[in-house]
Amino acid sequence: MKWIPRKSVLPFLLAGLLTTGLLAKPEAALAHKVSLFAWVENDTVHTISKFSGGKKVVKGRLVVFGPTGTKLLEGVTDDQGEFAFKVPQKTDLRLELIAGTGHKGHWQVPLEEITGGLEINTAAAAGPTRQVPVATDRSDNITADRLEAAIEKVLDRKLKPVMKMLAEAKQPGPSLTEILGGIGYIIGLVGIAAYFKSRQKK
Amino acid sequence: MHISEGVLSAPVLASGAALAAAGTAVGLKKLDYDKIANVGMLSAAFFVAALIHVPLGPASVHLIFNGLVGTLLGWTAFPAILVALILQAMLFQFGGITTLGVNTIIMALPAVLGYYLFGRLIAIWPGKSMLAGFICGFGAVLLSALLLGLTLVLTGESFSIIAKLVVLANVPVMIIEGIVTAFCIGFLKKVRPEMLPFSTTFSPDNST
């Protein structure tokens, strides 16, 4: 075991680094992972993109694909990492964010979310895509559809901050457990390697 | 500097994986009993370094420490970095499993190159080991940024734009790592000179 004293300096260096790493957590912990969060409001899909840790993806390219992989549209995120677009078609949508220098994130918008949003719109406009009995008596009665549309609209507005909060919460940095777990793995691997190499030595 | 899944083309991923496997094989071959503790500690250092984010410059960048890892480990930097990258991919979702080979090459190849190119400086300039250390740290990150640019170009992006983006974004990291590596090397030079590359005093058999 004569190799231990010679390496006795490194543990100090490592300990320093580890502490810095842990102290830098969780706000500043940021590295190469981009996340994308999207939600539907009426007929518009809103997206927020950021790097893990909180830095917004400014001027990232956001591409929208249909279910068969056809490109429907693309856009560029603004200073807040946000980008919004009108629903191009009533199918599942796959959003892909190309944040540059090898970073990529994606998000699926399921069909239910889109139709949910569109119904409000069509109901409000009494559009042809939905077989809603359009209110025949428009004098003073508020029809159930119009009431529903109005409520949905208010809910959308009220829920917007909540959706944003959800978007934030969806993107946590690595936790202490994960960091310590990783270091534990490395120590274990060192043990395994030392075991096999020491057997070779004999 | 971790490339995400689905960015690179299959040939680039495959050649990255093959090169990384070869590098790791060489590293494991050179890994002797006396070096295991070193490799493990530097692997752990590399693993946590990516969590330290540098809030300067236009993009999202973090420390890498491949210069320090390479200078102290040589070829054994390959297994050290591969293990740390696997754990980062699994636990932090940095990079990805398919891009593991390419990411290993991007970070470990400059580490090994740094060992041979700049590590020698530490031995040649005995009085200027800190300067040599700075060059090791700075140069390894610069080489990594260029390699990252190259892999993206092989997948079809324009080199001049990408190279500018990646290199510029990582300039603060290069400087910080240069300084940290300089201090580490300067410190080791005083207390444990046998740990430094091409050190004449190094010999696993008779060192204490």
Side-chain angles (χ1 to χ4, degrees):
Chain A
M1 289 302 232
K2 40 181 175 168
W3 48 272
I4 286 180
R6 188 156 50 81
K7 267 90 185 183
S8 58
V9 173
L10 262 189
F12 292 106
L13 292 179
L14 181 61
L17 243 181
L18 293 186
T19 353
T20 327
L22 298 184
L23 289 180
K25 284 253 328 126
E27 298 79 20
L30 182 144
H32 281 185
K33 179 185 159 193
V34 277
S35 36
L36 179 60
F37 182 83
W39 71 94
V40 185
E41 218 180 279
N42 292 335
D43 59 343
T44 310
V45 182
H46 295 263
T47 68
I48 289 191
S49 320
K50 52 176 75 164
F51 292 104
S52 75
K55 191 160 182 164
K56 308 275 189 331
V57 180
V58 180
K59 288 197 182 134
R61 238 178 82 215
L62 209 141
V63 190
V64 182
F65 294 97
T68 51
T70 43
K71 190 169 132 184
L72 299 175
L73 62 96
E74 76 170 79
V76 174
T77 57
D78 63 10
D79 292 348
Q80 295 303 308
E82 293 179 28
F83 173 66
F85 59 92
K86 294 258 182 227
V87 173
Q89 63 181 42
K90 283 172 78 178
T91 53
D92 288 341
L93 295 179
R94 196 184 126 81
L95 313 184
E96 215 169 86
L97 173 74
I98 297 145
T101 62
H103 300 129
K104 207 168 185 178
H106 20 81
W107 184 266
Q108 285 280 0
V109 182
L111 182 60
E112 307 88 73
E113 238 180 272
I114 292 173
T115 45
L118 281 182
E119 271 172 13
I120 305 162
N121 237 33
T122 45
T129 45
R130 193 168 176 249
Q131 267 65 52
V132 181
V134 178
T136 42
D137 177 27
R138 285 168 182 262
S139 53
D140 49 0
N141 287 343
I142 303 169
T143 65
D145 274 331
R146 286 167 83 184
L147 184 63
E148 195 186 317
I151 292 172
E152 299 254 17
K153 235 180 199 169
V154 175
L155 271 180
D156 267 346
R157 205 173 59 223
K158 293 274 183 201
L159 281 178
K160 197 172 181 179
V162 181
M163 293 307 267
K164 282 204 173 184
M165 267 165 67
L166 255 178
E168 312 262 323
K170 271 259 175 185
Q171 302 156 352
S175 72
L176 189 63
T177 331
E178 286 157 345
I179 298 167
L180 294 180
I183 295 165
Y185 258 102
I186 292 170
I187 294 172
L189 287 172
V190 166
I192 293 169
Y195 172 74
F196 280 106
K197 291 281 174 181
S198 75
R199 276 166 56 119
Q200 278 174 19
K201 235 185 166 183
K202 276 173 196 167
Chain B
M1 216 174 267
H2 300 67
I3 295 185
S4 317
E5 307 258 12
V7 173
L8 298 178
S9 63
V12 177
L13 290 175
S15 27
L19 284 172
T24 309
V26 174
L28 287 176
K29 191 119 196 163
K30 297 209 173 207
L31 177 68
D32 55 31
Y33 187 76
D34 302 301
K35 279 188 188 158
I36 290 170
N38 254 1
V39 173
M41 277 185 274
L42 284 161
S43 180
F46 181 91
F47 173 72
V48 280
L51 293 174
I52 304 170
H53 135 70
V54 179
L56 298 171
S60 150
V61 285
H62 56 77
L63 296 187
I64 300 162
F65 278 130
N66 58 342
L68 183 66
V69 172
T71 311
L72 296 181
L73 294 183
W75 277 99
T76 47
F78 260 97
I81 287 177
L82 176 65
V83 164
L85 283 175
I86 293 173
L87 291 169
Q88 285 175 346
M90 291 195 315
L91 297 170
F92 306 159
Q93 285 84 50
F94 293 174
I97 297 298
T98 57
T99 54
L100 207 53
V102 172
N103 284 334
T104 305
I105 288 298
I106 288 176
M107 306 204 217
L109 194 60
V112 177
L113 283 176
Y115 173 79
Y116 285 109
L117 293 177
F118 314 126
R120 242 172 238 285
L121 293 176
I122 298 172
I124 302 172
W125 300 344
K128 294 176 188 147
S129 51
M130 291 211 15
L131 178 62
F134 184 86
I135 298 173
C136 287
F138 189 94
V141 180
L142 179 64
L143 285 172
S144 283
L146 290 174
L147 266 181
L148 172 71
L150 184 68
T151 58
L152 293 172
V153 169
L154 290 174
T155 311
E157 296 197 44
S158 131
F159 184 73
S160 52
I161 300 171
I162 285 298
K164 213 173 92 188
L165 267 175
V166 180
V167 173
L168 277 184
N170 281 291
V171 163
V173 178
M174 289 174 209
I175 295 169
I176 292 172
E177 298 212 3
I179 294 168
V180 173
T181 312
F183 277 100
C184 285
I185 300 293
F187 180 64
L188 288 174
K189 179 92 189 167
K190 278 190 207 122
V191 288
R192 298 281 161 191
E194 70 275 8
M195 271 188 69
L196 298 176
F198 307 106
S199 153
T200 43
T201 53
F202 178 75
S203 160
D205 299 321
N206 58 19
S207 63
T208 49

